Structure formats: C-alpha cells, structure tokens
Amino acid sequence: MTVDLSLYLVTDSTPAILGNGDLCKVVEESLKGGVTVVQYRDKTSDTGVLVETAKKLHAITQRYNVPLLINDRVDVALASGAEGVHLGQDDMDIGTAKKLLKEDAIIGISASSIEEAVTAVENGADYLGIGTTFATPTKTNTKSIIGTAGVKKILDALSHLDRSVGTVAIGGINTRNVQRVIYQSAAPTKHLDGVAIVSAIMAAEDPESAAKELKGLITTRPTFA
Ligand code: TZP
Ligand code: MG
C-alpha cells in the first residue's frame, strides 16, 4: 500500500494539547485541512475506550480516504479495522505484528539512530518516524534530540539500502520551521516524504487552517536534485 506521508497527524488527547476540544472533531477538521495520515496516539485510556475511539476515528478517516494507524497497539488496530500501526522500539516487534495484521497493513517504526532505522527497514517497516527532531513539550521522555543533521544522517544511510522506505520527521515541527526541516534534512539522494505533527495541529485554535497552512508549505517545498 502506498501512503501519502506528506502531512502526518499524530493525535494527543491530553488537556495540555487538546484542551477541552473534541478529538474526533479536531481530527475531522485537520482532514479538511489536508492531513494525509492519522495516527491515533493515546497513552492513558483503557483498552475499551481505545477501541471505541479508534472505531469512531476510522469512520471519519475512511470518508477522507486517509489511513488510520494506531500507536503501540496491534490489538486495537485489529479491533477497529485501522489500516496499520505505529510501533516504538519497545513495542511489539515487526515480525510478530506482521503475522497478526493483514498482509497489506501499514507498519511504521520510530527510529532515532541509523542502527534503529536500518534494522527496521531490514525487518520490513513501511515507513519510519525519525526523531526526535527538536525538543518538544509534547513528549519529554524522548531518547535523543537529533536535529535536522541527525535526520539527514539517517536519510543518507537509508539511501544506500536495497529496499526503499517512507520517512517522516517528528518532534517540534510547526509552520515556522517545516520548510527548514525538509530542506536541511535532505540527503543527496533521499529526502523526507513528510512531517509528523502533534501540537501544531492538535493544539491550534483552528486545526483546519493550521493543517492547510502546513500543507501549503510542504507542497511548495523546493525540489532536491
Ligand atoms: N515522538 C517523538 S517527538 C513526539 C513523538 C510522538 C511528539 C511530537 O509532538 P509535537 O507537538 O509535534 O512536537
Ligand atoms: Mg510506542
């Protein structure tokens, strides 16, 4: 399955980000603004709530023809009919996830080093979430802040592999720095396919406009020869 990773929304239901907003409403607005992938990320809800919410989100994302991925939880992806999962280094291994999920399921992996990235590709990841690019209050327990130079090093290593893989950068990305992130991360023969964003959309006063603005900045990016 080919996925447009260009504007990848990662949800956050915590009061610090969502305030008293409604998760489904914010996700739908962001889809109207042009988000191309939605990852449901919820570290605190019980399994029952996760499944119910994932089903609701899936009903919305399907109307926009956008894949829904579930953070951490292969079981929730299966129960909700989501298109795939996003797994961290400490979550279920890709091989096991592949066995459990449908053959065309999308599996994304977080990578903060060349080694993690290369291993994930060798194990069959469809795309990588590369970061943490910049320090961010949204996730403070991040392993390492690698900057655009770190993202570039990983992209460069990936460009030498036989198998190609999708890539998004994550961490502290917003309208002010998105073009710089894409430009500075670009290795000679591989650039990012997109950016993953939490607060710059989820915490925006108007998530639709925020997504639209980001989308415009991403699609008008310079091409990298
Ligand atoms: N993984 C690495 S940084 C991060 C995640 C989930 C949070 C990014 O949030 P924001 O608000 O886009 O900086
Ligand atoms: Mg995880």
Side-chain angles (χ1 to χ4, degrees):
M1 185 175 193
T2 51
V3 187
D4 177 359
L5 292 166
S6 55
L7 183 55
Y8 181 131
L9 174 72
V10 182
T11 72
D12 188 312
S13 315
T14 61
I17 303 279
L18 191 61
N20 50 16
D22 176 76
L23 177 67
C24 289
K25 204 166 157 232
V26 172
V27 167
E28 175 139 23
E29 283 170 12
S30 76
L31 287 162
K32 283 185 193 150
V35 157
T36 61
V37 185
V38 175
Q39 181 196 132
Y40 174 37
R41 181 173 181 268
D42 180 340
K43 300 287 194 188
T44 53
S45 295
D46 293 339
T47 302
V49 174
L50 291 176
V51 172
E52 278 317 299
T53 309
K55 281 182 182 169
K56 281 186 199 156
L57 290 174
H58 194 226
I60 297 167
T61 55
Q62 278 185 306
R63 281 196 269 114
Y64 291 82
N65 237 323
V66 160
L68 176 71
L69 309 179
I70 309 295
N71 182 269
D72 296 344
R73 298 283 297 265
V74 173
D75 57 341
V76 176
L78 283 166
S80 63
E83 281 69 30
V85 289
H86 184 87
L87 302 172
Q89 292 292 321
D90 301 325
D91 295 316
M92 185 185 283
D93 67 280
I94 308 178
T96 309
K98 273 186 184 291
K99 273 185 206 149
L100 291 169
L101 291 163
K102 279 196 286 186
E103 208 180 314
D104 63 349
I106 301 159
I107 302 185
I109 301 290
S110 301
S112 61
S113 67
I114 290 176
E115 198 195 343
E116 287 177 357
V118 170
T119 303
V121 176
E122 283 169 351
N123 291 336
D126 295 295
Y127 78 88
L128 304 178
I130 302 174
T132 298
T133 309
F134 303 128
T136 170
T138 309
K139 186 179 180 191
T140 47
N141 65 336
T142 48
K143 260 193 297 188
S144 41
I145 312 297
I146 62 173
T148 53
V151 179
K152 182 176 177 173
K153 275 186 198 154
I154 292 173
L155 290 175
D156 193 46
L158 295 174
S159 72
H160 297 107
L161 301 180
D162 292 337
R163 214 183 130 245
S164 81
V165 67
T167 54
V168 291
I170 184 162
I173 302 172
N174 54 46
T175 51
R176 295 177 298 285
N177 62 21
V178 65
Q179 287 196 319
R180 178 163 62 88
V181 167
I182 292 167
Y183 188 82
Q184 290 183 347
S185 301
T189 59
K190 189 166 176 68
H191 61 71
L192 289 168
D193 296 301
V195 289
I197 288 183
V198 184
S199 55
I201 294 175
M202 292 299 300
E205 214 164 286
D206 180 346
E208 181 178 342
S209 306
K212 217 173 261 174
E213 192 182 349
L214 284 158
K215 194 74 187 288
L217 291 165
I218 293 163
T219 52
T220 58
R221 71 188 177 191
T223 51
F224 307 100

